Amino acid sequence: GRGISGCVANGIPEATAEAIYQEIYDFANYAFNKAHAVSYAVVAYQTAYFKCHFTREYMAALLTSVLENSDKVAGYINECRDCGIALLPPDINRSMDCFTVEEGGIRFGLVAIKNIGRSFIQAVMRERKNGPFRTLHDFCRRMAGGEMNKRALENLIRAGAFDGTGARRSQLLRVYERVLDGALEQRRQNLEGQLDFFGMAREPEEVPLPDIPEYTAQERMNMEKETTGLYLSGHPMDAYRGAAKKVGAVPIARIHEDFDREDGPQRFQDGQRVTIAGVITANRTKTTRNNSLMAYVTVEDDTSSIELLCFSRTIQTCGAYLRVNQSVVIRGKLSARDEKAVQILCDSVAPLTENPDALALPGEGENVAGETVYLRLESAEGRDFRYLQLLLQMFPGQTPVKIRLKDTGRLLGASCTLRASLIRELKEVYGEENVVIK
């Protein structure tokens, strides 16, 4: 009815016209009109300006905007670290409800601590105007009767919000219930008008703090993880960075970056074998349809986290190491299927120690004897050569590797740490006849 004759009438085959229309239709699913493009450009410029000139303020606002997503919070905290900005732990006298800027960095917001409601935090902020909280006893005396309960108080202590009062978390967790009970009882007596002989309200005695040692750094970090979803006073991997590098572990964030990126060079691909090191933060098991056991295990390093799929063979040989808060080194194969986030099909798990020289994963054995590895490859071009480069990066060491290229006859040199798992992989990928150790 609009005077359009159409493609077929103009001599264009129907199949060609359909194909062209389908391309237009597909493009329309993600095409931006001019109004959208301009709006995005303005927002991109504004946020870039803020990040450049008001970095701390911008990152604090960004962290507040993703409080419900601990993975994003962890990623932005790493971004703060890269920008040289310290994340300051929660403090009952300094923290607001959201993330805020201080001279020393960005202060953690109390609302991110589990079981702490906004109205309670606002009540704390109002009461602070009458003076800082000096002790746990002082805090309970002044805040009793509102929305505070034992669970909220316990989580504040475990997250480190009372560290600034000078008391140890171990001491406070030993007495906090008695302190809160005393403050609540005192408030009840005051409301009921109970007075002592001289007509004064009875003030409860302050509960003495026991002289007991503080929790270890690892225990404190675990508490922080449980109450906020994040490690605040450090990361368990801090002590193992050198060890992780030594075993050839790649940062987990680097794997995600490759799979999230739609173009550009990629270091990691579906099916590629990798080594990672991190801390187990979650573990759930299920029974498969053929009645075997499998586990979904989340591992986190100081850059990101990733899910492992562990099947019955791995669970049988390595199950003792699949405990929450265990520092481990993982070897397995990347799997990116069905639009899911990339996972690792786990082959082996071993505890990560600060000195990994003697580390042998179950089924691997010790370092294999041999002076030199000799390999034959078709060419220095293509996927096989690139995979060899990645493979040798996972096993850094001093054993010489000699690579003969069949197409040009050139001899290339490299090095590795010789392990049974590496030899198995080389023979599987390049053929037994092309791998010699002598």
Side-chain angles (χ1 to χ4, degrees), residues 287-317:
T287 305
T288 62
R289 277 179 292 186
N290 62 5
N291 215 30
S292 64
L293 196 65
M294 71 175 295
Y296 295 85
V297 179
T298 304
V299 172
E300 172 185 316
D301 65 10
D302 56 348
T303 67
S304 188
S305 63
I306 196 166
E307 186 174 65
L308 315 178
L309 298 185
C310 301
F311 297 99
S312 56
R313 181 186 64 81
T314 307
I315 294 171
Q316 288 168 8
T317 57

Side-chain angles (χ1 to χ4, degrees), residues 284-357:
R284 62 185 177 91
T285 56
K286 65 172 282 188
T287 305
T288 62
R289 277 179 292 186
N290 62 5
N291 215 30
S292 64
L293 196 65
M294 71 175 295
Y296 295 85
V297 179
T298 304
V299 172
E300 172 185 316
D301 65 10
D302 56 348
T303 67
S304 188
S305 63
I306 196 166
E307 186 174 65
L308 315 178
L309 298 185
C310 301
F311 297 99
S312 56
R313 181 186 64 81
T314 307
I315 294 171
Q316 288 168 8
T317 57
C318 312
Y321 307 129
L322 295 175
R323 301 190 309 271
V324 171
N325 297 326
Q326 171 77 50
S327 297
V328 290
V329 56
I330 306 287
R331 291 197 176 125
K333 188 183 293 185
L334 294 174
S335 173
R337 307 278 164 84
D338 306 325
E339 302 298 317
K340 290 181 181 176
V342 62
Q343 299 169 306
I344 294 180
L345 305 181
C346 180
D347 290 330
S348 56
V349 183
L352 184 63
T353 64
E354 292 181 43
N355 180 17
D357 288 338

